[in-house]
Amino acid sequence: MNNNNWRLSVYFNPDCIPCVINQALRAAKLFTNGNKNLQLKILKEVCEEVKIINEVFTAPHFSAVIQEIVEKNVKNENLYKELKEKNIKIVEQFLPLLQKKMEDAEDKLEESIKIAILGNTIDVGANPNFDIRDEIENYTSEDYSPVNIEQLKNSLRNAGSILYIGDNYEEALFDKFLLKELDEKDVTFAVRSKPILNDITYDDAVKLGIDKISKVIESGSRIGGTDLNYCTKEFIEKFNSADVVISKGQGNYETLLDEARPIYFLFKVKCEAIAERSKSPIGSSVIYYNNSTAQN
Amino acid sequence: MNNNNWRLSVYFNPDCIPCVINQALRAAKLFTNGNKNLQLKILKEVCEEVKIINEVFTAPHFSAVIQEIVEKNVKNENLYKELKEKNIKIVEQFLPLLQKKMEDAEDKLEESIKIAILGNTIDVGANPNFDIRDEIENYTSEDYSPVNIEQLKNSLRNAGSILYIGDNYEEALFDKFLLKELDEKDVTFAVRSKPILNDITYDDAVKLGIDKISKVIESGSRIGGTDLNYCTKEFIEKFNSADVVISKGQGNYETLLDEARPIYFLFKVKCEAIAERSKSPIGSSVIYYNNSTAQN
């Protein structure tokens, strides 16, 4: 743990600053009904907060700062509720197609892992212009490290207990295929403890019926990632004891990457800073293992 | 004149904020030799200054704020000197091609106007990724309002005195063709009073031999545009008395657009805010006349 009481890893890159300010602009425009004065007020408040950034600060922490400023200014504490419901209706249309892919697959565990990563395309923070229809229709199986997927499959087959750290709400419909493949294991699905961006909350998980396949717990996180300094005791215990931890999405990657315990990070690369850090180009599907020497 | 003592026109749009922060990032990266701590320091100072923006503030004013912060941090008051010299060497390679266009043109005044606008492609502020080679090679004459160009030609033919407000240094090599066409008129070419971005200064104009074709005066401006509140008496007198005023570039457009006197703005559209304001798509070549009822 460093002097700033952060235990974080993908340091805030100067390149991230225009990007988060742009994220703030998009949020401001989305929730202010064209009120440019209010947009300017929000952006000024966001820029004022840039001073708190230091070299061990991550983008998901700053996204939470942005969201608090927008919430306060537009007097709405569940900003993305409507957008999430709109997105999920779109995703639901593709469930039969994904179901067919699962039925046709020879290796159903592998197929469900690929579908779970594909779901990470959905992101209103880093990349609001995702086109899930296009992603699903142009989805191929070529896009993964075969070594890592074999290792992950082996780890999952041998695991008794699994912690699955969820990411976005809509994405969880894709995660369900993998959760179903793992339903004989002791799987815990962790969600955020407040609505942040389009991330999944406890109520969201219940709405999608995830509680019928896995245990669902709140992580304690109120940012679009997982900062262990702010997680619940229950989550930390599970994080430390699970045979396998799966972390979905870029925000969880940014905040958990340097943790000592082995973690499988499943995500789509959405920006240059993460492309550089993960050595995978923007748009690629990643299975990133942070501890290649660990046994699991 | 408004309460803030500004007499400005293209108001700072909330959309401009991530754009100017991005401009600050580019400048920080360009002049800090990869020192990320210094880049972060510069960006924090720039974000701190966003609070001074109000609804009558323009992007060129903020660019000047950015440049002062970068200059102070990297201890260099002529940041873009090398880049300007590098760019001008590239532009010089194309002079024979432009000269040939002039020789082949039936209407040399019209051709020189088009070349002058083409030169406005060069911009390290709004659009550092310009490709002047590509622009020149793909240059066509289709891209202008025929009504406006006829009107401008008539105005120039009838004018005794002309004020030509310059913009970028490298661009002035393109302006020279038009200045030469006007050499029987009383033409004054106005330059910035300090090196701001790649804008042309007095020394630059002399280096390009513009003083041999036109009078050259400093406008007093220390921003990448022309705020009359800060211009010299000599410039203001010329601005008020000239039969025709030509204003080159987006920065001059942003700061002079709402002036009462008729002005011909010649520029390439480089961002969405200006595209919206000028009703011309990004990349288009514009001859914008701010006073269609005035006689000149």
Side-chain angles (χ1 to χ4, degrees):
Chain A
M1 202 159 327
N2 65 56
N3 296 336
N4 296 293
N5 200 29
W6 295 120
R7 190 170 46 175
L8 304 171
S9 51
V10 179
Y11 300 153
F12 215 98
N13 195 313
D15 297 70
C16 301
I17 294 178
C19 181
V20 293
I21 304 292
N22 207 17
Q23 187 182 322
L25 173 68
R26 286 197 304 266
K29 290 174 97 168
L30 206 50
F31 303 115
T32 54
N33 289 318
N35 182 339
K36 290 211 175 193
N37 286 329
L38 190 53
Q39 291 166 18
L40 190 59
K41 179 170 182 286
I42 288 169
L43 280 168
K44 282 183 179 189
E45 291 181 21
V46 167
C47 287
E48 171 75 18
E49 290 301 316
V50 166
K51 66 181 176 215
I52 67 176
I53 292 170
N54 58 34
E55 67 283 357
V56 286
F57 202 78
T58 73
H61 285 86
F62 201 75
S63 297
V65 171
I66 290 171
Q67 186 156 328
E68 272 177 33
I69 289 171
V70 178
E71 283 170 357
K72 186 192 68 184
N73 276 286
V74 305
K75 299 181 182 60
N76 176 351
E77 292 207 345
N78 202 345
L79 292 172
Y80 291 90
K81 191 164 183 280
E82 278 178 42
L83 188 61
K84 284 160 80 171
E85 294 309 326
K86 193 182 125 204
N87 283 342
I88 209 141
K89 286 200 168 55
I90 296 169
V91 171
E92 278 169 348
Q93 297 170 22
F94 294 97
L95 288 180
L97 177 61
L98 295 172
Q99 188 61 48
K100 177 81 170 45
K101 281 180 186 289
M102 283 300 295
E103 281 159 18
D104 294 348
E106 277 182 41
D107 184 336
K108 293 190 196 305
L109 181 58
E110 182 165 318
E111 192 67 23
S112 67
I113 291 168
K114 290 174 177 174
I115 289 174
I117 299 172
L118 181 66
N120 187 242
T121 301
I122 304 160
D123 187 328
V124 302
N127 172 25
N129 302 317
F130 60 85
D131 182 341
I132 192 66
R133 186 180 304 264
D134 182 69
E135 288 282 334
I136 293 175
E137 284 171 359
N138 295 298
Y139 154 82
T140 69
S141 299
E142 311 300 299
D143 198 19
Y144 305 80
S145 153
V147 175
N148 288 1
I149 203 162
E150 282 307 318
Q151 189 191 332
L152 172 58
K153 276 157 49 185
N154 284 335
S155 294
L156 289 172
R157 286 189 189 113
N158 296 330
S161 62
I162 297 162
L163 172 65
Y164 195 111
I165 308 175
D167 185 28
N168 300 316
Y169 169 52
E170 310 90 320
E171 174 180 353
L173 278 179
F174 293 71
D175 294 323
K176 274 181 79 177
F177 292 98
L178 176 51
L179 295 172
K180 278 181 193 159
E181 288 303 305
L182 300 172
D183 71 349
E184 289 181 13
K185 310 281 181 180
D186 169 22
V187 180
T188 303
F189 186 86
V191 299
R192 312 282 188 236
S193 290
K194 85 159 248 188
I196 171 84
L197 296 166
N198 60 329
D199 289 8
I200 189 162
T201 63
Y202 189 86
D203 287 351
D204 292 338
V206 171
K207 206 181 294 176
L208 301 185
I210 291 177
D211 58 324
K212 296 190 172 58
I213 326 170
S214 316
K215 271 179 283 194
V216 178
I217 63 167
E218 288 190 357
S219 67
S221 175
R222 302 169 67 83
I223 65 172
T226 306
D227 178 348
L228 295 184
N229 293 298
Y230 297 93
C231 285
T232 60
K233 192 161 167 261
E234 181 185 23
F235 177 84
I236 298 284
E237 280 170 6
K238 190 60 75 177
F239 181 80
N240 289 330
S241 67
D243 294 329
V244 171
V245 173
I246 289 181
S247 157
K248 282 295 301 288
Q250 203 168 278
N252 285 329
Y253 173 78
E254 286 174 85
T255 43
L256 289 171
L257 174 61
D258 285 345
E259 291 302 324
R261 79 144 291 152
I263 303 173
Y264 288 97
F265 294 95
L266 275 50
F267 60 100
K268 298 276 278 188
V269 179
K270 287 158 197 151
C271 72
E272 203 46 65
I274 301 300
E276 201 178 306
R277 183 68 185 80
S278 66
K279 298 187 175 53
S280 305
I282 288 178
S284 60
S285 301
V286 173
I287 300 170
Y288 189 99
Y289 186 56
N290 65 335
N291 188 341
S292 54
T293 58
Q295 300 296 315
N296 59 93
Chain B
M1 198 152 339
N2 65 56
N3 297 337
N4 295 293
N5 199 30
W6 295 119
R7 190 170 47 174
L8 304 169
S9 50
V10 179
Y11 300 154
F12 215 98
N13 196 314
D15 297 69
C16 301
I17 293 180
C19 181
V20 293
I21 304 292
N22 207 16
Q23 186 182 324
L25 173 68
R26 285 196 304 268
K29 290 174 97 167
L30 206 50
F31 303 114
T32 53
N33 289 318
N35 182 339
K36 289 210 173 193
N37 286 329
L38 189 54
Q39 291 167 19
L40 190 59
K41 179 170 181 286
I42 289 169
L43 280 168
K44 282 184 179 188
E45 291 181 21
V46 167
C47 287
E48 170 76 18
E49 290 301 316
V50 166
K51 67 182 177 215
I52 66 176
I53 292 169
N54 59 34
E55 67 283 358
V56 286
F57 202 80
T58 73
H61 286 87
F62 200 74
S63 297
V65 171
I66 291 172
Q67 186 157 326
E68 272 177 33
I69 290 171
V70 178
E71 283 169 356
K72 185 192 68 182
N73 276 286
V74 306
K75 299 180 182 59
N76 176 351
E77 293 208 345
N78 202 345
L79 292 171
Y80 291 90
K81 191 165 184 279
E82 278 178 41
L83 187 62
K84 284 161 81 172
E85 294 310 326
K86 192 183 124 202
N87 284 341
I88 209 141
K89 286 199 168 57
I90 296 169
V91 170
E92 278 169 348
Q93 299 169 22
F94 294 98
L95 288 180
L97 176 63
L98 295 172
Q99 188 59 50
K100 177 84 170 43
K101 280 180 185 291
M102 284 299 296
E103 281 158 19
D104 293 349
E106 276 182 40
D107 184 335
K108 294 191 195 303
L109 180 59
E110 182 165 318
E111 191 67 24
S112 67
I113 291 169
K114 290 174 176 174
I115 289 175
I117 298 172
L118 181 65
N120 188 241
T121 301
I122 303 162
D123 187 328
V124 302
N127 172 25
N129 301 315
F130 60 85
D131 182 342
I132 192 66
R133 186 180 304 263
D134 181 67
E135 287 282 333
I136 293 176
E137 284 171 358
N138 294 299
Y139 154 83
T140 69
S141 299
E142 311 299 299
D143 197 17
Y144 305 80
S145 153
V147 175
N148 288 1
I149 203 162
E150 282 307 318
Q151 190 191 330
L152 172 57
K153 277 158 47 186
N154 283 334
S155 294
L156 289 173
R157 286 188 190 113
N158 296 330
S161 62
I162 296 162
L163 172 64
Y164 195 110
I165 308 175
D167 185 28
N168 300 316
Y169 170 52
E170 309 90 318
E171 173 180 355
L173 278 179
F174 293 73
D175 294 322
K176 274 180 79 177
F177 292 99
L178 177 50
L179 295 172
K180 279 180 193 158
E181 288 302 305
L182 301 172
D183 71 349
E184 289 181 12
K185 310 280 179 179
D186 170 22
V187 180
T188 303
F189 186 86
V191 299
R192 311 282 188 237
S193 290
K194 84 157 247 186
I196 171 84
L197 296 167
N198 59 330
D199 289 9
I200 190 163
T201 62
Y202 189 85
D203 288 350
D204 291 339
V206 171
K207 207 182 294 178
L208 301 185
I210 291 177
D211 58 325
K212 295 189 174 59
I213 326 172
S214 315
K215 271 180 279 194
V216 178
I217 62 168
E218 288 189 357
S219 67
S221 175
R222 301 169 67 82
I223 65 172
T226 306
D227 178 349
L228 295 184
N229 292 297
Y230 296 92
C231 286
T232 60
K233 191 162 169 259
E234 182 185 22
F235 177 84
I236 299 283
E237 280 171 6
K238 189 60 75 176
F239 181 81
N240 290 330
S241 66
D243 294 329
V244 171
V245 172
I246 289 181
S247 156
K248 282 295 300 286
Q250 202 168 278
N252 285 329
Y253 173 77
E254 286 173 86
T255 43
L256 289 171
L257 174 60
D258 285 344
E259 292 303 323
R261 78 145 291 154
I263 302 173
Y264 288 97
F265 295 95
L266 276 50
F267 60 101
K268 297 276 279 188
V269 179
K270 287 160 197 151
C271 72
E272 203 47 65
I274 301 300
E276 202 178 304
R277 184 67 186 80
S278 66
K279 297 187 176 53
S280 305
I282 288 180
S284 60
S285 302
V286 173
I287 299 169
Y288 189 99
Y289 187 56
N290 65 334
N291 187 341
S292 55
T293 58
Q295 301 295 315
N296 59 94

